Amino acid sequence: MLALSCSRRAAMAAVSHAVVGRRSMSKWSHVPLAPADPILGLNALYSRDADPRKVNLGVGAYKGEDGKPYVLPSVKKAIQKIVNSNHEYLPITGLPEFTLEAKKLIFGPDRANVEHKNVTTIQSLSGTGALRLAAAFLNRFHVPVPVYVPDPTWGNHYAVFRDAGFREIRPYKYYARATNTIDFKGMLSDISNAQSNSIVLLHACAHNPTGLDPNHEQWRELSQLLSKKGHTVLMDCAYQGFASGNPETDVESIRTMLRDGHQLLVAQSFAKNFGLYGERIGALSLVCRDEPSAKAVQSQVSLLARAMYSNPPAFGARIVHAVLSDAELSAMWRVDVRGMADRIHEMRRMLVDKLSQGGRRDWSHILRQIGMFSYTGLSKEETRQMVNTHHIYMTADGRISLAGLNTRNVDYVARCMLQTTGAC
């Protein structure tokens, strides 16, 4: 009996040891370390850099002449108006007053597409969230087709569509590296040769990363080709007002598609043009043939949103509504946006002026670009040298955020670019 008891205790101890051993083993030891995000990873490196000369030209967030985050005066006034708002849940589709103003800002306040309610607009988690909702909706309800994105494009576009379940994400020609211009003929050729009824993503304005947009005639030609091929158009509108300084001018591409009868999708961000980066305010609009279709589409997108995050944030939506629904604040906001666009344009001009003093490389393409970013033409090796030697942080494709420049650092950045390219 004693031997049996000892044997049982030994067995139990062995089992206990095995359980503890299993508990001490990681269930996730097979999970590989993900690569750092190419942009946010740069920001982390910049933050750890103790060199006083460091300059961050990687992240697309506007900074003032003082190099600090900028809160728009119109936004400050709007916050005063909504300071006593409650913190209840919003509907799944968002703040109704906000989505109406978002729709009007994109499509125009007098457009029949707004008045006839064949456009459904749903508040999203900024522009990225709008794209993710659009991708999920298209994956669920669109016939299986490839998604076409410009080459190059914002890197997250691939991840958004891939994680929504799309297996075929194909590039179409957009940028001619040899001439630093839009490859419009190549673009038309690729879109024409694409499978009919494909999904085509376009940047509404201030193309990221190149800063190059089609002109009005090219947008019209492109719209007609897309219609002829039966393609479904998804417009990514992250910089309305930042390209030209005029919010109306910057969405002429979208309104061209609308006039031509496209049942397009528009992903809209209020991060840049309202400076509401951390509030995550955006909207997804879907243009339908009629009101019943719009209601059905809204119901399905609402189900997708419910499963992702349930309800969007209220504070930023209230800010945007307070600005756009008030004539005085809306006018002030347009001045704010123009001021940010003008400062970026001035930094672009100053940079090229200083680079032109080097004499060995033509930098004039930077002046032909528009919006927050510039595609400098620096090679991967040159950008690596800019980071490692000069502490100037930029992405490996040579893209820089001009919002990170100011009158105190533009001389240093230009001088380092010239040294890196062997121009001085």
Side-chain angles (χ1 to χ4, degrees), residues 273-319:
N273 55 8
F274 274 77
L276 297 175
Y277 302 96
E279 303 302 334
R280 312 312 294 147
I281 302 303
L284 172 64
S285 292
L286 301 96
V287 179
C288 305
R289 186 62 64 198
D290 49 41
E291 185 175 353
S293 297
K295 287 182 177 180
V297 166
Q298 185 181 78
S299 70
Q300 293 294 341
V301 178
S302 296
L303 286 180
L304 292 167
R306 173 62 170 158
M308 288 184 191
Y309 54 82
S310 285
N311 311 83
F315 186 63
R318 290 195 174 107
I319 292 174

Side-chain angles (χ1 to χ4, degrees), residues 287-354:
V287 179
C288 305
R289 186 62 64 198
D290 49 41
E291 185 175 353
S293 297
K295 287 182 177 180
V297 166
Q298 185 181 78
S299 70
Q300 293 294 341
V301 178
S302 296
L303 286 180
L304 292 167
R306 173 62 170 158
M308 288 184 191
Y309 54 82
S310 285
N311 311 83
F315 186 63
R318 290 195 174 107
I319 292 174
V320 174
H321 167 252
V323 170
L324 294 180
S325 63
D326 182 284
E328 180 184 350
L329 288 182
S330 182
M332 183 184 293
W333 170 72
R334 289 170 184 272
V335 173
D336 294 341
V337 171
R338 168 66 70 177
M340 290 189 290
D342 285 350
R343 197 189 84 77
I344 289 175
H345 180 73
E346 179 62 12
M347 288 300 102
R348 187 184 294 277
R349 185 196 63 77
M350 287 183 66
L351 178 64
V352 172
D353 282 351
K354 295 177 186 304

Side-chain angles (χ1 to χ4, degrees), residues 193-264:
N193 291 328
Q195 175 184 328
S196 296
N197 201 32
S198 290
I199 298 165
V200 178
L201 182 140
L202 299 163
H203 296 233
C205 64
H207 179 272
N208 178 10
T210 69
L212 293 169
D213 294 339
N215 60 38
H216 294 317
E217 291 73 22
Q218 289 173 330
W219 276 120
R220 286 195 286 268
E221 186 175 354
L222 181 58
S223 175
Q224 292 167 8
L225 173 60
L226 290 162
S227 181
K228 179 181 177 181
K229 290 289 296 185
H231 293 324
T232 297
V233 178
L234 170 58
M235 303 289 283
D236 185 358
C237 186
Y239 301 97
Q240 184 179 3
F242 252 88
S244 68
N246 186 326
E248 307 302 317
T249 300
D250 288 352
V251 291
E252 184 56 32
S253 57
I254 294 173
R255 294 179 186 180
T256 295
M257 300 285 173
L258 199 63
R259 286 191 292 268
D260 288 347
H262 288 276
Q263 296 183 56
L264 69 160

Side-chain angles (χ1 to χ4, degrees), residues 26-42:
S26 171
K27 289 188 176 183
W28 315 115
S29 57
H30 63 286
V31 177
L33 182 67
D37 182 273
I39 297 175
L40 300 182
L42 264 182

